[in-house]
Amino acid sequence: MAEAHQAVAFQFTVTPEGLDFQLSREAVRQLYLAAVHSWKKRLVRAKNSFLSGVYPASPSSWMVVVVATAGSCYCHVDPSLGLIGRIQSWLPHGESLSPEARTAVSTVLFSTGAWLGAVLLFRSLLRLLLSYHGWMFEPHGRMSRRTRLWIVSGTRGGPGGDGGDRGSGGDGGDGEMGDRGEMGVLGELWEM
């Protein structure tokens, strides 16, 4: 019976004087640790979501863009072609922000926008480059122009094909594609 009494974490009784509430110190500690563990997992999930959302780039590349833009503004070179000045004019004037602070905020806003634009551009280029599967359906020993362009653009980092026709090109009809698998085809393309 003593073990069952110790296992009770919350205990309350109603008396004529009011409500008597007793709380186990260990139960409160376990609730606190569970909440801390939950928030840690939530923060890690948010960090991973952010990092996967800006995949081709990294947060350090954002800092490089901000520093490069701020340095060029310090040297009186405007990389934004007047956009930083326009952002400055939209920011509040007066005592809330000094002119230097308005310049810094507008530079960071422009740099962030440029960085996000580059991230979206790189993501779309990667999607185009990695979505071409026409090379898998070509006969052994021959390569179409589209596949050659895809290989060249892939090695040079440029845009890829437009997805290609999955059904065109055929597989040669001899069942060789299934025997070799993907690595055999990639090795074959590498040798050409």
Side-chain angles (χ1 to χ4, degrees), residues 96-177:
S96 60
L97 284 175
S98 67
E100 293 83 15
R102 286 182 29 231
T103 302
V105 168
S106 61
T107 301
V108 169
L109 287 174
F110 169 76
S111 300
T112 302
W115 181 75
L116 285 174
V119 166
L120 293 175
L121 177 71
F122 290 148
R123 286 176 91 170
S124 64
L125 287 177
L126 275 174
R127 187 175 296 122
L128 284 173
L129 182 63
L130 297 175
S131 66
Y132 177 69
H133 297 289
W135 58 270
M136 291 191 290
F137 303 107
E138 292 185 356
H140 179 69
R142 285 184 280 164
M143 202 180 328
S144 68
R145 285 186 190 149
R146 180 178 278 182
T147 300
R148 288 179 195 211
L149 284 173
W150 173 71
I151 290 173
V152 169
S153 65
T155 56
R156 291 186 183 162
D162 59 350
D165 288 330
R166 295 190 73 117
S168 66
D171 62 352
D174 55 357
E176 222 176 82
M177 182 63 78

Side-chain angles (χ1 to χ4, degrees), residues 67-79 103 107:
V67 168
T69 307
S72 64
C73 286
Y74 179 74
C75 295
H76 302 292
V77 176
D78 188 11
T103 302
T107 301

Side-chain angles (χ1 to χ4, degrees), residues 181-192:
E182 189 172 313
M183 291 308 293
V185 173
L186 288 176
E188 201 176 285
L189 289 175
W190 182 260
E191 292 172 4
M192 294 188 97

Side-chain angles (χ1 to χ4, degrees), residues 37-51:
H37 182 71
S38 171
W39 276 101
K40 280 184 182 178
K41 286 178 104 174
R42 192 172 290 185
L43 288 174
V44 167
R45 210 175 301 129
K47 182 187 98 171
N48 287 340
S49 174
F50 173 75
L51 290 177

